[in-house]
Amino acid sequence: MEKTIALAGNYSYIRQIETTIKSVLFHNVNITFYLMNNDIPQDWFKMINTKINPIGSEIIDKKVDPTLLNNEHISQQHLDVIAYAKFFVPELVTADTVIYIDSDTIITGNLDSLFELTFSDDELVAAAREIENQSVCNDGVIVYNNKRLRKIKGLTSHLLELGQNDNLYNGDQSVFNKYFDGKIKVLPDQYNYEAGMDSWAYMQSRTDMQEKLEAVDDPIIIHYANNDKPWNNFSSGRMREIWWKYYATDWTSIVEQTNRMNVSLRQIKVPEIKKHLFTFTNDQNLEQLEQLVQHLPECEFHICAYTHVGWQLGRMVQYPNVKVCPDVLSYRVNELIDTADLYLDINYGPKDEKIISKFIDTGKPLLAFDSVKDNNIHADNYHVFADDQIDKMINFINEKN
């Protein structure tokens, strides 16, 4: 059974994201996480994968262009625009069923019943009722019927367009309920136990909400909704200590817990880096870079620039075999000239003739596509491939000792 969980958050929320992941893996195995973000360093993903790959799980970096979220409406102070990234799940995540959870949640049990959820013909998603207003659902926990959602043309763009309405009462949740009205499979409250609404209910004398919280004695997903978060200096809501329990749990304890489950674990193979490729660029557009990166997982791509880099290039760090170095210093450039196995002259825009000349002098290969080649270079170790010969370039790189 494929088990896929999506999260959304940025680096300022990294403690909460990691705590949620710990709680998931304390009770579940063989999980593939997709984390939609725009600024979490590649090093963090590498660190987490080092810890969770041996127990059959992995986390995949999915960068979301922040400019796509610039116009989304934030209706409450404790919300962040990155919450709208949940609408990218059908576009960015390939699994047929995906559980999305906010990063202010804690998982206290097994989630297999959600992974195995079946949908009727008219159900596109699943979610629990909002504790404050039973006529709508809370979108902090969503099970996506991704197999059907992927067939809806322009879904993500349409949801984001709805989010640009300044009159939305509750941001992304209002969008979720408006679009999916009548197409939501309702989940039991135990799968989105809104502990964070406890203090608000008290202040508003909403005894009905407090009674509803009291009625659930076996929450599997605790959601610290609203602004009364357990990691604040002070909070009055229930279950604060549970969040801190998982926050304090170290990865060794999670490994030991997994071993006690006595279950079969996936074997996750991490490609071993065998070659280092170097590109210096003054332009964020590089010919067929993404295809090369995807087909050469055992090659590490080092892409440098003397300036800042645009989003199109910066997002490439979501691939673990890509290193992007903007504002690079000369010592690093010289180091790469010495240590790289090949130079990829695949950038558009002006070339840095000095750097290319130095690499030519090493005698190591330089590779280019016809559309971006430097017509001034006639060196024997400068190899040009037609734009439709990417397979030949890949073979050349693989076969080069």
Side-chain angles (χ1 to χ4, degrees):
M1 176 176 56
E2 191 174 23
K3 301 179 183 181
T4 302
I5 291 177
L7 306 104
N10 282 330
Y11 198 42
S12 61
Y13 224 61
I14 201 69
R15 288 188 310 148
Q16 291 81 0
I17 293 168
E18 192 167 336
T19 302
T20 296
I21 292 171
K22 285 179 178 179
S23 72
V24 171
L25 295 180
F26 199 82
H27 303 281
N28 300 269
V29 299
N30 299 332
I31 304 294
T32 298
F33 295 95
Y34 286 78
L35 175 51
M36 295 167 289
N37 71 98
N38 58 52
D39 67 350
I40 298 178
Q42 185 183 66
D43 311 76
W44 181 85
F45 286 92
K46 181 179 180 180
M47 176 195 72
I48 297 299
N49 274 319
T50 298
K51 298 176 185 301
I52 70 176
N53 284 173
I55 54 174
S57 295
E58 62 183 328
I59 184 163
I60 296 171
D61 184 0
K62 284 294 180 182
K63 289 288 188 279
V64 174
D65 185 347
T67 63
L68 298 177
L69 305 178
N70 279 348
N71 297 320
E72 302 306 297
H73 178 60
I74 299 300
S75 53
Q76 299 184 35
Q77 188 175 5
H78 69 280
L79 300 177
D80 191 287
V81 71
I82 193 64
Y84 279 92
K86 60 169 62 82
F87 296 143
F88 286 89
V89 167
E91 181 179 315
L92 297 180
V93 184
T94 58
D96 286 345
T97 300
V98 181
I99 301 174
Y100 168 85
I101 50 176
D102 277 349
S103 298
D104 57 354
T105 59
I106 288 295
I107 310 305
T108 66
N110 187 276
L111 297 174
D112 284 358
S113 59
L114 292 186
F115 291 119
E116 296 170 347
L117 204 64
T118 58
F119 294 88
S120 67
D121 290 342
D122 60 346
E123 292 171 340
L124 296 177
V125 293
R129 294 291 186 191
E130 170 67 59
I131 189 173
E132 177 189 358
N133 180 1
Q134 291 285 287
S135 66
V136 300
C137 288
N138 183 280
D139 72 342
V141 179
I142 305 169
V143 183
Y144 282 87
N145 184 357
N146 240 16
K147 190 173 184 178
R148 286 194 60 202
L149 290 170
R150 283 196 299 267
K151 297 177 181 178
I152 303 175
K153 187 176 180 180
L155 173 62
T156 298
S157 297
H158 183 55
L159 291 170
L160 293 178
E161 184 179 348
L162 291 175
Q164 296 173 16
N165 181 355
D166 290 341
N167 295 316
L168 291 174
Y169 169 71
N170 200 7
D172 57 278
Q173 182 165 296
S174 295
V175 172
F176 175 81
N177 279 277
K178 179 177 181 179
Y179 183 86
F180 292 108
D181 183 35
K183 303 171 185 176
I184 302 174
K185 183 184 187 75
V186 177
L187 296 175
D189 293 337
Q190 67 182 148
Y191 289 110
N192 193 342
Y193 182 76
E194 294 181 79
M197 297 296 290
D198 204 10
S199 59
W200 189 90
Y202 176 78
M203 295 297 293
Q204 299 295 318
S205 299
R206 289 286 301 272
T207 55
D208 60 319
M209 290 173 60
Q210 293 176 301
E211 289 171 357
K212 193 169 181 59
L213 287 169
E214 294 289 349
V216 180
D217 56 8
D218 58 345
I220 294 176
I221 302 179
I222 301 171
H223 186 188
Y224 299 97
N226 211 358
N227 58 358
D228 188 32
K229 306 297 188 185
W231 54 83
N232 293 343
N233 192 20
F234 301 104
S235 64
S236 58
R238 66 187 76 202
M239 299 185 175
R240 174 186 172 102
E241 70 284 352
I242 295 179
W243 188 89
W244 282 97
K245 167 192 168 183
Y246 287 101
Y247 173 76
T249 299
D250 58 40
W251 289 104
T252 301
S253 299
I254 293 172
V255 172
E256 292 173 350
Q257 171 66 7
T258 302
N259 291 337
R260 283 194 290 270
M261 292 182 192
N262 194 28
V263 293
S264 178
L265 299 176
R266 285 191 302 168
Q267 297 298 310
I268 297 176
K269 183 180 179 181
V270 179
E272 178 185 354
I273 298 301
K274 296 179 179 178
K275 291 186 177 74
H276 294 267
L277 314 180
F278 175 37
T279 298
F280 186 90
T281 183
N282 291 301
D283 191 303
Q284 69 166 332
N285 297 299
L286 281 73
E287 178 67 24
Q288 303 191 65
L289 172 63
E290 195 152 12
Q291 293 92 322
L292 289 169
V293 168
Q294 292 171 342
H295 286 89
L296 292 165
E298 295 181 339
C299 292
E300 191 163 80
F301 294 71
H302 299 264
I303 306 167
C304 300
Y306 283 139
T307 61
H308 295 317
V309 300
W311 173 257
Q312 187 64 24
L313 179 54
R315 73 176 184 87
M316 290 300 296
V317 297
Q318 68 185 321
Y319 294 101
N321 59 327
V322 176
K323 307 293 181 185
V324 176
C325 188
D327 306 309
V328 68
L329 300 177
S330 57
Y331 89 91
R332 180 59 176 152
V333 172
N334 292 332
E335 184 178 68
L336 285 168
I337 291 173
D338 291 338
T339 59
D341 298 290
L342 302 98
Y343 186 93
L344 293 181
D345 184 26
I346 59 174
N347 60 292
Y348 285 86
K351 309 288 185 175
D352 192 302
E353 303 292 350
K354 184 177 179 181
I355 291 175
I356 292 177
S357 178
K358 280 186 176 181
F359 205 93
I360 288 174
D361 290 344
T362 67
K364 294 181 288 190
L366 297 86
L367 312 182
F369 288 111
D370 193 59
S371 59
V372 291
K373 68 182 179 182
D374 189 329
N375 291 315
N376 297 318
I377 299 177
H378 305 287
D380 290 340
N381 55 337
Y382 190 75
H383 306 272
V384 178
F385 297 82
D387 288 2
D388 61 358
Q389 291 182 327
I390 187 171
D391 290 342
K392 288 188 176 181
M393 182 182 283
I394 290 170
N395 290 337
F396 182 99
I397 294 170
N398 281 327
E399 292 168 4
K400 191 65 181 177
N401 294 326

